[in-house]
Amino acid sequence: MPVDPTCPVCQTAEIICGKWTLLLIRDLAEGHSRFCELERSLQGISPRTLSLRLRALEEEAIVERHTFAEVPPRVEYALTEKGRALLPLIDHMRSYGERWLGGTCANAADEQLPPVAAVA
Amino acid sequence: MPVDPTCPVCQTAEIICGKWTLLLIRDLAEGHSRFCELERSLQGISPRTLSLRLRALEEEAIVERHTFAEVPPRVEYALTEKGRALLPLIDHMRSYGERWLGGTCANAADEQLPPVAAVA
DNA sequence: CAGCATCCGCCGTGATACTG
DNA sequence: CAGTATCACGGCGGATGCTG
């Protein structure tokens, strides 16, 4: 529900604000490409939600879906150029989080000095 | 609802993914500082939601609240340094939106290469 | 393996009215 | 002016079970 559909900031927010979207994109960037693989790496996600997110991102041309007519069935997902263009933004968010929110992540390399004062 | 409270990317997402948060920060950055002023510039927001967002951002030390014991009462809000540090990120989101979402590519699943010329 | 169908609960948001 | 109180709704996401 875009507040302002013509605002590029809001449009971008719409894309990345799904609960699992950012993690999903990150995992895709890291090479996880199959449904079950993503289901594992995104621990706690339901197949329904994963499917919905994947569809939405596919419609937005952020991920590509490649189906293999095999037995057992295989489907692989990958970021498009448009999707990879999101990665610097995610890095930017990580930088902010590390600098100002004191968070560290298994995937993140290093950690910066925490903010001076945090309101309780 | 943080997927991973320790992930800086998720923490940052938590902050900026409120429906009005980005616009609120933008308006604060543009100098709108009073409650009624924000209420006007964020057309459509309810006082309840504005109040809630402001409180949340205050708790996160992203905005500062300055009360003036006057009649009529006056309260001014301003971004802290931590809040202003969000602005480049918002710019980044705007850049992405303009570059990749500026056109009419929302539903085009087959559209892999949006118009490059759309960059302002 | 890769999903879809169904039901359900949560909570963010909106609307409206009221207060200091 | 600057909020708070209350009620209600809608949609996202979770849980579970089933199919090709």
Side-chain angles (χ1 to χ4, degrees):
Chain A
M1 260 215 212
V3 170
D4 180 358
T6 70
C7 168
V9 179
C10 297
Q11 291 177 329
T12 304
E14 286 299 305
I15 288 183
I16 64 176
C17 281
K19 180 171 174 181
W20 295 93
T21 310
L22 286 170
L23 272 334
L24 179 50
I25 291 173
R26 187 203 61 188
D27 285 358
L28 284 169
E30 284 174 357
H32 299 92
S33 52
R34 302 184 57 174
F35 195 91
C36 66
E37 210 172 346
L38 294 165
E39 212 170 354
R40 274 194 304 273
S41 66
L42 299 170
Q43 260 238 304
I45 198 173
S46 66
R48 172 181 191 272
T49 300
L50 179 53
S51 183
L52 286 175
R53 289 278 136 251
L54 247 10
R55 296 283 170 196
L57 290 175
E58 195 187 344
E59 296 228 329
E60 287 156 343
I62 285 172
V63 311
E64 279 173 339
R65 185 168 177 267
H66 300 286
T67 314
F68 300 85
E70 304 174 350
V71 177
R74 185 158 59 103
V75 176
E76 290 191 356
Y77 296 90
L79 292 177
T80 63
E81 171 89 14
K82 182 179 173 183
R84 285 190 294 277
L86 241 19
L87 297 177
L89 185 50
I90 295 179
D91 282 339
H92 200 149
M93 292 176 65
R94 176 178 299 113
S95 299
Y96 182 88
E98 287 173 350
R99 169 67 181 85
W100 294 98
L101 308 173
T104 55
C105 174
N107 303 81
D110 51 13
E111 124 183 37
Q112 304 271 335
L113 65 150
V116 186
V119 176
Chain B
M1 282 225 332
V3 168
D4 179 359
T6 69
C7 170
V9 180
C10 298
Q11 292 177 328
T12 305
E14 285 299 305
I15 288 182
I16 66 177
C17 280
K19 181 172 175 182
W20 296 93
T21 311
L22 286 171
L23 295 183
L24 179 50
I25 291 171
R26 185 204 60 188
D27 286 356
L28 285 169
E30 284 175 356
H32 298 93
S33 53
R34 301 183 61 173
F35 194 91
C36 65
E37 212 175 345
L38 294 165
E39 211 170 357
R40 275 193 303 272
S41 66
L42 298 170
Q43 261 242 298
I45 198 173
S46 67
R48 174 186 139 85
T49 301
L50 178 54
S51 183
L52 286 174
R53 289 280 134 248
L54 248 10
R55 297 278 171 202
L57 290 174
E58 195 187 345
E59 295 231 329
E60 287 155 344
I62 285 172
V63 311
E64 280 173 338
R65 184 168 178 269
H66 301 284
T67 312
F68 300 83
E70 303 174 354
V71 176
R74 185 159 58 105
V75 176
E76 291 190 353
Y77 296 90
L79 293 177
T80 63
E81 187 184 353
K82 182 179 175 184
R84 284 190 296 275
L86 240 17
L87 298 177
L89 184 51
I90 295 179
D91 282 339
H92 200 149
M93 293 176 67
R94 176 177 299 113
S95 299
Y96 182 88
E98 286 172 350
R99 166 67 180 83
W100 295 98
L101 310 173
T104 55
C105 51
N107 289 349
D110 52 307
E111 182 171 0
Q112 297 300 320
L113 286 175
V116 182
V119 184

